[in-house]
Structure formats: C-alpha cells, structure tokens
Amino acid sequence: MCGIVGAIAQREVSEILLQGLKKLEYRGYDSAGMAVVDDKSNCTRVRRLGKVQALADAVDENAVLGGTGIAHTRWATHGEPSEINAHPHVSNSISIVHNGIIENHQPLRELLQQRGYVFYSQTDTEVIAHLVAWELKSAASLREAVQKSVTQLEGAYGMVAMDSNDPSRLVVARSGSPIVIGRGIGENFLASDQLALLNVTRRFMYLEEGDVAEITRRDVFVFDQSGNAVEREVIESNVESDAGNKGKYRHFMQKEIFEQSTALINTMEGRISHDAVITESIGVNAVEILNKVEHVQIIACGTSYNAGMTARYWFESLAGVSCDVEIASEFRYRKFVTRPNSLLITLSQSGETADTLAALRLAKESGYMAAMTVCNVAGSSLVRESDFAFMTRAGTEIGVASTKAFTTQLLALLMLVTAMGKQQKRIDAAKEKEIVEAIVALPAQIETALTFDKEIAALAPDFAEKHHTLFLGRGEFYPIAMEASLKLKEISYIHAEAYAAGELKHGPLALVDADMPVVVVAPGNELLEKLKSNIEEVRARGGLLYVFAEKEAGFNNEAGMKVVNLPKVSEITAPIYYTVPMQLLSYHVALIKGTDVDQPRNLAKAVTVE
Ligand code: M6R
C-alpha cells in the first residue's frame, strides 16, 4: 500500500513528484506529502490530509524548490489519517518515506526514546527516520546508515532516505515492498510503481529483495542483502504512458470495463492458433510440467480468488485435474499437506499482494512440483519469484475495483486448463476446437454485453436505496456471483452476499423479503432448471428478483422480477461474459450513491501489507 516517488535532478522536482503521486493514488489516498532539498541544503516539507490534490494546492500556494526530493501518498496502517502521520517523517537532517509495515516498531520506538528521540506521529515509519539519523552519527555515509538500520527492521518495507545535508544522493531499500528506479540522462528517479515515472523515463531497474541502492544524478549503485555491489538489469518499459488517463470516461473503472474486449484480445494473442491452444506459450517447460500435474493448488486474494474459484470448475470438469483454491492469508498460516505432483498457481493483478507473495514463498519450500503465477504486472515480485509466469495483458488497471484484470485472468486460466487437458489427453481435438472457437468469439460478445449498459443503468436506482443485496449462481456462476457481490460492496458500500443458489434454503432464505434485491446469474446450462426452482423460492417470499439470463431461458419481466435478456454464448466462456453486466450494475449503483468509484473508502489497489 501507499505510493512512493523520488527524484534527483538538476531541474526543479516538485512537479515531477506531484505528477508521480497522482498516478500512484490508487495505492492509497488518505494523506500525501513531500520533502525537497535545494543545492544549499534548504529542505522544505509539505504534508496534507486528503488526496494528492490537497498537496498540489499547497505547493501551488508556496513553491517547493529543489532538485532532490521524495514524496508519498498514504494508506494508513499505524495511526489515523492525519497531517502529523503523513510522510515524509523527519529526524534531524533525515527525511523518510516508507511503504509496508515495521512489525518491531514498538521496541525500536522505546529504544530510540531512551536515546533521546522525540516521536511526533503514531506511525511505524518515524522509527526508521530516527534509526537512520542515529546510525548516521557513526556511519561513513547515508547508505551505510540505511544498511545498518534495515538489519534492525522486521516486517516489510520499500523506503527512501534523504539527507538534507547532502542533497547529492538518495538511498532506497527494498524488502517485501517494491521499488523501481527510473534511469534518466543526468537525472534519476524512483517509485513504488513504474507508472509514476512514465512521464520522465521508460528505462527501469527493479530492485530485488534485500537490495539497498544509492542514487545520484548520474549513477545508481546497488548492493544486495549481504552488502555486495551488484548489477540490476535496465528494462525498457512498454506500458502506455497514457494508461493513467481516463480519456472519454468518467471513471477509470468505467474505462476498464469498456476496455475488456481489447484486453481479452491482447491476452489471447500468440497463445492460440487456428483451433488449438499453444501449450508452449504458457511458459518455459510448460509442456513437461502440464504433462505431469496431478493436482492444482490455487492461491489468491479478493477478485483474483474469485477467478481461481471459477477456474476450479474448469480444471476438474474440462481437464480432469483436481483443484483446490485457497485465500492466501489463510493458506500461509495453516499446516497444509502438499499432494504429489501438485502445481502451485498464484493469481494476482498486481503481483505484489503481500499475503499471496508470502504464500508463494512458503509453498516453494513445501514440495510443489512448480510455482506458476497468472499475473498482470511484468517485473512484479510474484512474476520474478515464480518458476514461470503466464501474463494477463489487461493493461494497467487503475480503478481499485478490479474488472479487466478478472476477465483476463479467467481467459488465461481457461487457456491453461485447455492446454493441461490436451497434454493429459483428456481434451480431444474436437473439444479443444470448441473451446478455442468460444474464446475467439468472446471479445465481440463482450462488446455486445456492453451495449446493455443503459438497460442495466435503469435497474440501478432499485439498489441504491437498499442496505443489502443477495447474488445467486450455480456451478461456475457461483464464483461469478461472488465477484458481483464483492464489486457491489466495494464501490457502493451496500452489504452484499453471494450464495450458491442451492444453499438458499439452508439459511439465507430467511433474509428474503420485499426489501431484499436478489440478483440471479442464470445462463442457459444444465443447471438452469434447478436455478429456476431457486428463483421460485425467492418469489414465493416476496423477494425482488433481477435475473440476468439468455433469451432462450424463457424469463420475462413480471411483478417482482426484472429480466436482462442477453444474447446466448458458449457455455464454456459464459462465466467471463456474464461478469460484464454484473460490473456495470455495481458501477451504476455506485454512481447513484455518489461514492468515490475509483478510490473507494478504506481500500487500496495493491495490498502490500498483510
Ligand atoms: O493484485 P491482486 O489481484 O493480488 O489483488 C487482490 C485483491 O486485493 C483485489 O482483487 C481486491 O479484492 C480488488 N480490490 C477487488 O476489486
């Protein structure tokens, strides 16, 4: 969580820092701050409660001058959102910005208080500022002070230290929270995400776990965990620099919903031939690994978990391979049994989710035959630490509510399942052709689903006044209902629950009355008749039904039931297709409620703390 930007240049950097922070607001947005030093060691620190715009307004009023600076947008962990708790935190000449959590902050705080340091904030970060200031007293350089300090820290950090007495360098350290260095000509930059720096450079160097780097205008010197000088590769980024703009859309979430057919086309490109999935495109050694897999263990959080839950149905029904799906924060803290020839798959949009990353690290020591990730961010920690990565190509997703990352995850997983089933001779050529045809038809079908935008928007007022909503689905549409319910609660703040429709009569039916909207995902598959019975159970209790179905299913608008009749699509890809109207419904409810759609309260895009 939180976003970091830093710059060291011959020009003024405050505008670069602000522009970078605006791109990072998706990571946290309860307060923001910057500290900038000029060549004469004058340091100006400005912090504001609220979004980056409040900081920008403050900088507009009183110019912040200097060529060396660090900045931060915060998602509170220790200490409420406030100006005092906003970063940078300072101690003597040292300013610090930090992402992550210092778990041993309390004993360190006590130790530093005994040494005479006074704490002004409730944050764990202020501990780092005083620690570096203390170590600097006896260290030969700021780098050495940071290296000595990080050995005393437990927890996760991506951090930058600046010494106003020496504006010619910044020192960064990474452990459990990403830092990327942007290389310029005669100037250098750093950030917690390359997106913050795309306006100033496209050449990036990713720090590895335990690295400490010293950055000057001309050079970057990287040291590994043991203090040895190391080289880190400079990679040219191909991320679009306008990825952070809304274009003609009102919100990033809306833009990202409407980008889904393109994202799907990009994700399938080069991975399917005429009527087959190209197994080799899944990753290095994929053929060998997929031949041998006897069990799949998926680990993920949030929306990515819902994608895993959907894929479980595909792994077992199409590829005939058993599959378990578990929430990363549960998996990492329980004793588990690794089945023989198990493939571990982590799913993540960001590739930086702390719980998923911790689960991957744990699993790598637990006898899995290989660790694969399905991820949207190249160069992310999950991608770098997994044996191989199958990238979704959703493009940058800014809206906190995940949309195109989910549908592209589903597509990637479906291609993976197909390749696995084929390698294991459980999917024959005819079935593979059927799946590939369904995949190829999907982008155009998604475009059609998007034309239902107005019709779905017309339903939204029915939900906006309600306090609860139930979502129902069966089979692989149960996780689609789960994802729909997550979307609604996340951006509209309406309490929502998803149930496997057959489970209704085992308890939740007691909640159903005329005040309870019940949304049903009702595609035409073999479970439709069963689902119709569940719908009748709701009708009989006076529940308000909203049924998303295909025309052929025979649902009609009538008292107590509103129907969105969608064109029929292949049963195989229908979970991806039905996701889109669910996203539109949440979006329109949130619009009516007037919430902050792209940055809903209390949340952040990349959850890099556990
Ligand atoms: O980056 P990840 O996919 O690992 O993130 C996992 C969850 O934090 C994420 O999906 C979250 O649930 C979204 N905000 C849901 O829209």
Side-chain angles (χ1 to χ4, degrees):
M1 326 289 264
C2 309
I4 286 177
V5 193
I8 181 158
Q10 228 152 1
R11 50 178 166 155
E12 297 297 330
V13 293
S14 63
E15 192 51 35
I16 296 171
L17 299 178
L18 282 170
Q19 290 307 323
L21 285 188
K22 281 187 179 155
K23 297 277 163 60
L24 293 184
E25 251 188 334
Y26 73 91
R27 295 181 65 102
Y29 34 80
D30 60 45
S31 54
M34 68 164 71
V36 174
V37 192
D38 68 16
D39 283 345
K40 297 198 174 83
S41 287
N42 299 308
C43 182
T44 313
R45 176 174 63 155
V46 189
R47 298 178 296 169
R48 286 293 179 272
L49 177 64
K51 294 197 170 181
V52 173
Q53 190 53 46
L55 179 68
D57 292 345
V59 173
D60 253 5
E61 271 169 35
N62 288 305
V64 174
L65 301 176
T68 303
I70 57 179
H72 189 264
T73 176
R74 179 169 184 250
W75 185 84
T77 56
H78 294 67
E80 59 179 12
S82 69
E83 199 167 306
I84 294 275
N85 286 333
H87 301 209
H89 289 283
V90 298
S91 181
N92 302 329
S93 61
I94 298 298
S95 301
I96 297 280
V97 289
H98 159 233
N99 288 355
I101 287 181
I102 304 305
E103 289 172 352
N104 60 337
H105 70 98
Q106 193 52 38
L108 285 173
R109 179 181 277 255
E110 284 158 20
L111 177 73
L112 289 158
Q113 279 166 335
Q114 283 162 22
R115 289 175 180 165
Y117 288 99
V118 177
F119 282 79
Y120 296 96
S121 77
Q122 302 154 299
T123 64
D124 50 344
T125 304
E126 198 178 352
V127 161
I128 309 177
H130 292 315
L131 196 57
V132 174
W134 168 263
E135 293 297 348
L136 190 59
K137 289 181 181 188
S138 58
S141 64
L142 179 62
R143 171 171 62 83
E144 195 183 303
V146 170
Q147 280 171 320
K148 282 184 171 171
S149 300
V150 294
T151 59
Q152 299 165 62
L153 301 178
E154 289 166 19
Y157 52 82
M159 57 168 273
V160 194
M162 180 174 77
D163 181 359
S164 57
N165 289 334
D166 180 8
S168 66
R169 65 202 69 238
L170 293 171
V171 174
V172 298
R174 176 209 159 127
S175 178
S177 205
I179 293 282
V180 60
I181 295 171
R183 301 299 315 261
I185 297 167
E187 55 187 12
N188 283 310
F189 311 92
L190 61 96
S192 46
D193 182 334
Q194 55 164 280
L195 202 57
L197 302 178
L198 289 171
N199 286 340
V200 285
T201 184
R202 306 197 67 83
R203 295 167 60 236
F204 295 104
M205 180 189 263
Y206 288 89
L207 291 191
E208 296 197 358
E209 284 298 280
D211 282 355
V212 171
E214 185 175 312
I215 305 170
T216 67
R217 283 179 193 160
R218 292 174 56 91
D219 298 303
V220 176
F221 305 100
V222 185
F223 301 85
D224 68 13
Q225 206 152 19
S226 315
N228 302 315
V230 284
E231 293 290 325
R232 299 288 177 227
E233 196 188 350
V234 176
I235 295 164
E236 195 86 20
S237 170
N238 56 10
V239 172
E240 303 287 335
S241 61
D242 71 349
N245 298 326
K246 287 196 269 263
K248 64 178 181 183
Y249 296 96
R250 196 164 156 193
H251 294 101
F252 283 112
M253 180 186 182
Q254 185 190 28
K255 176 177 179 240
E256 287 155 10
I257 290 173
F258 278 82
E259 279 171 352
Q260 287 179 109
S261 44
T262 308
L264 291 166
I265 291 170
N266 291 340
T267 300
M268 67 181 79
E269 198 191 314
R271 283 143 173 196
I272 46 179
S273 64
H274 201 49
D275 40 24
V277 172
I278 304 166
T279 308
E280 292 76 4
S281 72
I282 307 273
V284 184
N285 298 332
V287 176
E288 196 188 323
I289 291 165
L290 299 192
N291 277 340
K292 281 197 233 148
V293 175
E294 287 174 31
H295 180 70
V296 170
Q297 172 69 60
I298 294 179
I299 297 173
C301 304
T303 287
S304 297
Y305 171 77
N306 293 338
M309 286 291 286
T310 314
R312 184 171 71 113
Y313 289 87
W314 291 332
F315 274 111
E316 303 212 346
S317 67
L318 293 171
V321 175
S322 62
C323 174
D324 288 323
V325 188
E326 190 156 353
I327 292 167
S329 55
E330 287 298 310
F331 180 85
R332 65 180 289 195
Y333 288 117
R334 76 175 177 87
K335 290 199 168 57
F336 54 84
V337 176
T338 308
R339 300 215 219 155
N341 292 323
S342 277
L343 173 66
L344 178 91
I345 306 178
T346 54
L347 304 179
S348 178
Q349 188 288 127
S350 62
E352 301 294 350
T353 301
D355 284 317
T356 312
L357 194 54
L360 166 70
R361 289 176 184 157
L362 179 68
K364 281 177 78 174
E365 292 159 8
S366 310
Y368 283 89
M369 65 183 287
M372 166 186 189
T373 189
V374 174
C375 188
N376 195 42
V377 179
S380 62
S381 302
L382 278 173
V383 169
R384 282 181 293 111
E385 294 190 29
S386 299
D387 297 322
F388 64 106
F390 191 39
M391 301 306 298
T392 47
R393 298 177 189 142
T396 307
E397 192 181 66
I398 307 266
V400 165
S402 194
T403 52
K404 59 180 182 170
F406 179 71
T407 45
T408 52
Q409 277 173 342
L410 290 181
L411 172 60
L413 287 161
L414 181 57
M415 291 191 284
L416 172 67
V417 165
T418 310
M420 193 180 288
K422 171 170 65 173
Q423 292 307 128
Q424 303 210 0
K425 310 219 174 333
R426 293 199 188 92
I427 290 180
D428 62 16
K431 186 70 186 173
E432 184 174 12
K433 184 166 186 284
E434 184 193 340
I435 298 171
V436 170
E437 280 172 359
I439 288 175
V440 171
L442 192 58
Q445 291 164 344
I446 298 282
E447 285 297 319
T448 307
L450 289 167
T451 64
F452 283 75
D453 189 38
K454 280 210 174 91
E455 190 175 328
I456 293 166
L459 301 178
D462 293 9
F463 293 80
E465 293 301 315
K466 298 284 189 287
H467 296 291
H468 312 276
T469 297
L470 282 181
F471 287 87
L472 302 180
R474 293 191 79 126
E476 59 268 55
F477 296 90
Y478 166 43
I480 299 306
M482 288 162 58
E483 172 58 10
S485 118
L486 177 60
K487 283 292 87 86
L488 187 72
K489 63 187 118 177
E490 190 175 21
I491 59 168
S492 75
Y493 316 152
I494 292 173
H495 170 238
E497 295 289 340
Y499 279 96
E503 190 63 10
L504 203 58
K505 55 189 166 300
H506 299 289
L509 203 52
L511 296 171
V512 172
D513 62 14
D515 266 337
M516 176 67 88
V518 180
V519 180
V520 190
V521 192
N525 60 16
E526 60 187 17
L527 292 170
L528 182 63
E529 290 312 312
K530 302 272 176 215
L531 193 61
K532 283 184 173 172
S533 308
N534 304 136
I535 288 172
E536 287 311 315
E537 289 162 12
V538 174
R539 264 156 81 85
R541 273 88 189 167
L544 304 167
L545 282 154
Y546 298 84
V547 181
F548 289 73
E550 56 196 41
K551 261 200 203 97
E552 293 73 5
F555 292 105
N556 293 308
N557 283 326
E558 50 190 271
M561 177 152 79
K562 293 188 181 173
V563 182
V564 178
N565 272 317
L566 295 154
K568 188 175 173 57
V569 300
S570 161
E571 273 183 39
I572 298 166
T573 46
I576 308 177
Y577 174 75
Y578 274 84
T579 298
V580 175
M582 296 294 119
Q583 296 167 342
L584 290 172
L585 179 64
S586 298
Y587 176 69
H588 287 294
V589 176
L591 278 190
I592 296 174
K593 294 211 67 176
T595 59
D596 192 339
V597 171
D598 286 329
Q599 296 173 340
R601 67 185 182 198
N602 306 337
L603 301 180
K605 183 72 183 160
V607 185
T608 53
V609 292
E610 77 163 296

